[in-house]
Every structure is written in structure tokens, then in C-alpha cells.
Amino acid sequence: MKKISEHISWKEGTFSNTAKRLKINNKPTKEIIKNMDLVADKVFEPLREWVDGAIRVNSFYRCEELNTALRGSKNSSHIKGQAIDIDSLGKKTNAEMYEYIKDNLDFDLLIWEFGEVDPKWLHISYVSKKENRKEVLKAVYRGSKLTYYKQ
């Protein structure tokens, strides 16, 4: 089966326990696969080279039905295959990866997802060199309300 990149398998890029449980076909189109290839090439693979070890892919592509089931944003970049959620597997912390991405890679949006000292995971999107905003946010819950702060 095709790999999205050297270190992201097709299964990692499209798998979801929720999709499996709800029998949702989370198969991307050719256009979406091109977007996923770009995210992997411009963000994931350079980061993995710097980490010098494996990084967990928590979520990559989500079809609209899956995104709705997960209560994702209606205009989530995951739907277009332009966003990836990742988590450290130990070689570097999520905070270290966050700082590296922010300072060294091109991206559209980088989100520190919860956690004070170390994010629980990172969300990174990539659109194109021309369209990337280099926006950096921190997600926190204040009571039951989700808030994003510019960093």
C-alpha cells in the first residue's frame, strides 16, 4: 500500500478509531492526497529528521463525516488533508518540537494543544508557501469554554 511519505504510512494518515467504530469510509481523493503529501514533505519529514526518531501521528486526514463525528471545526484543515496532529514518542518533547517548528519550518497554523509545560499534542497545518500565515496559537480550556490565544 502507498506511503504518504517515508515515515507516514497510509494507515497512519487515514486511520481513526471513531471512523472504524462508526463504519465511516475515511478515504481521501487524489487532490487531498496531494495536500497530505505536501504537509508530510514540508513539515513532518523535516521535523522527524530533526527529532531523529519516530513521531506519533494522532490525526491527519478526516473526511467531513468523520470530522463532524469528532466535533471538529466545520472548516478544519484536516478535511482537506492540510493538517496533522502529532505527539512525541520520547526523543524530543512536544514543547521542543513546537519551538523547532515555530522557529525553523514554514506552516500555516501551529497550535499548542493544551498542557502548561508541555502540550498534549501539536496541530500543524500547511497550505502553500504563498498562502501560509505562520499563525501560532495556544489552546486552553477556561471552565468548559475552549479558547485560542495568539502566541
Side-chain angles (χ1 to χ4, degrees), residues 1 8-9 18 21 30 49 54 73 82 90 107 128 144 151:
M1 189 163 258
I8 302 177
S9 70
T18 302
R21 182 173 40 83
K30 286 181 182 178
E49 184 176 325
S73 165
Q82 293 177 326
F107 58 88
S128 71
S144 63
Q151 297 294 290

Side-chain angles (χ1 to χ4, degrees), residues 90-101:
K91 279 257 184 152
K92 301 285 185 185
T93 66
N94 285 340
E96 288 172 317
M97 292 194 304
Y98 173 88
E99 292 298 328
Y100 181 81
I101 294 164

Side-chain angles (χ1 to χ4, degrees), residues 7-131:
H7 298 102
I8 302 177
S9 70
W10 181 255
K11 182 177 180 179
E12 283 176 304
T14 60
F15 181 78
S16 162
N17 281 322
T18 302
K20 187 175 179 179
R21 182 173 40 83
L22 298 176
K23 295 181 174 44
I24 295 172
N25 182 0
N26 194 45
K27 185 177 178 187
T29 64
K30 286 181 182 178
E31 181 180 327
I32 290 169
I33 292 168
K34 285 181 187 176
N35 292 339
M36 294 172 76
D37 289 344
L38 196 58
V39 171
D41 182 54
K42 299 297 186 182
V43 178
F44 186 87
E45 290 298 334
L47 177 65
R48 192 182 186 292
E49 184 176 325
W50 176 77
V51 167
D52 191 29
I55 300 168
R56 178 183 296 117
V57 175
N58 296 335
S59 182
F60 201 163
Y61 172 66
R62 299 178 195 158
C63 67
E64 286 188 38
E65 184 181 2
L66 174 58
N67 192 63
T68 299
L70 293 170
R71 297 185 181 135
S73 165
K74 290 185 190 319
N75 52 7
S76 171
S77 296
H78 287 284
I79 296 169
K80 298 176 187 171
Q82 293 177 326
I84 190 168
D85 293 345
I86 60 171
D87 193 14
S88 168
L89 285 173
K91 279 257 184 152
K92 301 285 185 185
T93 66
N94 285 340
E96 288 172 317
M97 292 194 304
Y98 173 88
E99 292 298 328
Y100 181 81
I101 294 164
K102 183 169 62 87
D103 296 341
N104 297 283
L105 299 179
D106 190 24
F107 58 88
D108 181 55
L109 177 63
L110 171 62
I111 305 175
W112 173 299
E113 298 279 4
F114 314 105
E116 291 300 316
V117 176
D118 198 40
K120 292 187 185 235
W121 73 90
L122 301 175
H123 169 96
I124 311 107
S125 67
Y126 186 97
V127 179
S128 71
K129 185 135 187 82
K130 185 178 179 183
E131 296 176 90

